[in-house]
């Protein structure tokens, strides 16, 4: 199951404390103050990666802490800085703090500072002066607070596959991308959206099949349509095995329109799937009825390549 919403807690590292120390050896029993500064605490970052399953990692571990800075040392040595923590999230993640401010990670590789590490405190060496040669002062490192984050994955697929159950949507996703999603010869095989990355760099979303009445909650309903709202193109899949391809087309189009007029007006490529199940005459007939210029079969690589090229050309 794709995790697309999750709460986590992050904490930047505390600053290390400065220390009070005085140098002395056999020759210089009062060598003076030499307590070093504490190191800075590590920052916490989010970084966008292309793996859309990445929010799943947070199901088990909820708290993420960067390393704290170490305390200063004798001989004016500064404490080691704490290591930053870089947490990977899928591209398309929106991270929202408790106070409502949010940041969106919308480019692969984008790195966003979410919690700054505490400053290291100064050691007594820096507090020495002509009037105070034995300073007892030092600073504690700044302590950081935990922050709660709500991570939400807004899928940013450029292409959305729609159609009735069993139309061959998931099979097409697997052919067009490196996805390896479950396919079976019955309706509602897909229960959660699948995503795949096409070689050309775009993302395709496959959602569960829609049925008549979906907009009012029938079948798996419409809750998955939100995942294709921001796509640029819809690939409307109609099976060549269908008894009534035009009705299939109209059913889906109606449900989409009931859900959102924006979605209904989206650019659409109508594809007759499973073209190998009919002869070429019948295929042409179907294509004419539903005004489809493209047909695919998962056993015909050329047909998949043609659709793939068409998609690449159609996307800006
Ligand atoms: N002959 C043939 N069978 C196909 C083709 N594409 C898909 N199928 C078969 O059609 C059935 C349904 O395919 P799926 O890809 O699971 O269909 P779906 O539209 O994702 O179905 P839901 O997830 O239930 O909505 C499976 O048995 C596939 O093997 C094709 O091009 N040719
Ligand atoms: Mg499916």
């Amino acid at each position: 199951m794709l995790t697309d919403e999750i709460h986590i807690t992050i904490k930047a590292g505390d600053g290390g404390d400065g220390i009070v120390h005085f140098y002395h050896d056999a020759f210089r029993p009062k060598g003076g103050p030499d307590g070093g500064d504490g190191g800075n605490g590590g920052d916490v970052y989010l970084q966008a990666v292309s793996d859309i399953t990445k929010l799943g990692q947070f199901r088990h571990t909820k708290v993420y802490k960067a390393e704290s800075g170490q305390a200063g040392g004798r001989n004016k040595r500064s404490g080691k800085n704490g290591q930053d923590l870089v947490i990977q999230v899928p591209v398309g993640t929106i991270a929202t703090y408790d106070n409502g401010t949010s940041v969106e990670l919308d480019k692969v590789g984008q790195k966003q500072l979410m919690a700054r590490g505490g400053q290291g405190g100064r050691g007594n060496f820096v507090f020495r002066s002509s009037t105070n040669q034995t300073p007892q002062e030092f600073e504690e490192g700044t302590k950081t607070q935990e922050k709660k984050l709500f991570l939400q994955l807004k899928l940013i697929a450029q292409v959305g596959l729609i159609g009735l159950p069993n139309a061959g949507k998931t099979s097409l996703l697997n052919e067009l991308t490196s996805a390896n999603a479950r396919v079976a010869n019955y309706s509602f095989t897909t229960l959660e959206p699948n995503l795949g990355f096409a070689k050309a760099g775009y993302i395709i979303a496959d959602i569960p099949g829609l049925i008549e009445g979906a907009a009012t909650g029938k079948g798996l309903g419409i809750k998955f349509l939100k995942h294709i709202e921001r796509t640029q193109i819809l690939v409307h899949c109609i099976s060549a095995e269908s008894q009534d391809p035009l009705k299939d087309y109209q059913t889906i189009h109606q449900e989409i329109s009931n859900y959102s007029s924006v979605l209904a007006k989206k650019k659409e490529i109508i594809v007759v799937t499973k073209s190998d199940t009919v002869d070429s005459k019948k295929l042409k007939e179907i294509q004419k009825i539903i005004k489809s210029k493209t047909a695919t079969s998962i056993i015909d690589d050329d047909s998949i390549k043609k659709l793939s090229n068409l998609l690449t050309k159609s996307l800006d």
Side-chain angles (χ1 to χ4, degrees):
M1 197 177 87
L2 181 72
T3 305
D4 59 358
E5 286 187 350
I6 203 134
H7 292 271
I8 61 166
T9 300
I10 56 169
K11 186 182 176 301
D14 293 329
D17 296 338
I19 65 158
V20 174
H21 189 264
F22 295 94
Y23 184 82
H24 57 89
D25 62 20
F27 305 104
R28 294 164 63 202
K30 286 188 179 169
D34 73 346
D37 302 339
N40 296 326
D43 303 329
V44 179
Y45 295 87
L46 292 183
Q47 185 168 38
V49 295
S50 60
D51 179 354
I52 54 124
T53 66
K54 273 286 180 191
L55 290 189
Q57 68 183 314
F58 304 122
R59 285 219 296 268
H60 310 293
T61 312
K62 302 280 186 200
V63 182
Y64 292 83
K65 293 181 178 178
E67 210 178 37
S68 291
Q70 288 179 3
R74 54 183 65 179
N75 207 7
K76 297 177 265 188
R77 268 199 321 253
S78 296
K80 232 176 105 193
N81 290 335
Q83 280 223 337
D84 294 340
L85 178 67
V86 180
I87 305 172
Q88 295 188 333
V89 296
V91 63
T93 297
I94 297 171
T96 309
Y97 294 102
D98 257 1
N99 67 6
T101 55
S102 63
V103 284
E104 183 164 353
L105 290 108
D106 54 9
K107 282 189 200 68
V108 172
Q110 184 184 341
K111 201 171 153 187
Q112 187 76 38
L113 176 65
M114 301 305 291
R116 192 180 290 286
Q119 276 273 327
R122 291 179 297 172
N124 71 339
F125 175 71
V126 295
F127 291 100
R128 76 199 186 288
S129 68
S130 54
T131 52
N132 184 3
Q133 306 213 345
T134 55
Q136 296 296 325
E137 290 122 296
F138 73 102
E139 287 170 343
E140 285 185 0
T142 318
K143 306 295 178 257
T144 60
Q145 302 293 321
E146 285 190 346
K147 295 183 181 194
K148 295 213 180 333
L149 278 186
F150 178 48
L151 303 177
Q152 231 179 338
L153 178 59
K154 284 262 170 138
L155 302 180
I156 43 162
Q158 288 88 344
V159 178
L161 294 167
I162 53 169
L164 289 176
N166 219 24
K169 300 179 295 297
T170 306
S171 305
L172 211 46
L173 176 82
N174 289 345
E175 293 302 319
L176 290 168
T177 71
S178 52
N180 188 15
R182 208 170 97 78
V183 164
N185 193 18
Y186 49 81
S187 295
F188 303 121
T189 308
T190 304
L191 301 173
E192 294 282 339
N194 294 308
L195 287 193
F197 278 82
K199 272 214 191 89
Y202 55 87
I203 301 176
I204 303 181
D206 160 41
I207 59 168
L210 297 166
I211 56 169
E212 191 174 346
T216 54
K218 273 221 183 116
L220 289 169
I222 46 161
K223 69 174 179 150
F224 299 113
L225 286 175
K226 72 170 194 225
H227 289 306
I228 56 166
E229 270 185 82
R230 301 207 291 179
T231 57
Q232 291 176 36
I233 301 179
L234 298 177
V235 173
H236 190 150
C237 303
I238 313 264
S239 170
E241 289 179 316
S242 168
Q243 300 303 313
D244 192 345
L246 185 60
K247 180 160 176 268
D248 289 2
Y249 176 82
Q250 287 165 341
T251 301
I252 296 297
H253 192 73
Q254 189 58 51
E255 292 311 319
I256 298 262
S257 312
N258 291 350
Y259 175 75
S260 136
S261 56
V262 176
L263 212 51
K265 282 191 212 116
K266 241 179 234 295
K267 194 158 158 189
E268 182 181 64
I269 297 176
I270 304 167
V271 176
V272 178
T273 58
K274 312 192 194 183
S275 63
D276 56 287
T277 60
V278 291
D279 60 28
S280 62
K281 187 164 162 259
K282 174 89 179 148
L283 179 62
K284 283 211 179 88
E285 261 173 44
I286 300 172
Q287 289 193 271
K288 202 169 158 201
I289 296 171
I290 57 170
K291 300 196 177 80
S292 156
K293 295 197 188 87
T294 320
T296 57
S297 161
I298 56 169
I299 53 172
D300 175 5
D301 287 348
D302 278 351
S303 72
I304 302 293
K305 253 187 222 134
K306 266 190 204 150
L307 175 58
S308 180
N309 290 340
L310 185 59
L311 286 173
T312 310
K313 251 195 277 164
S314 311
L315 292 164
D316 18 269

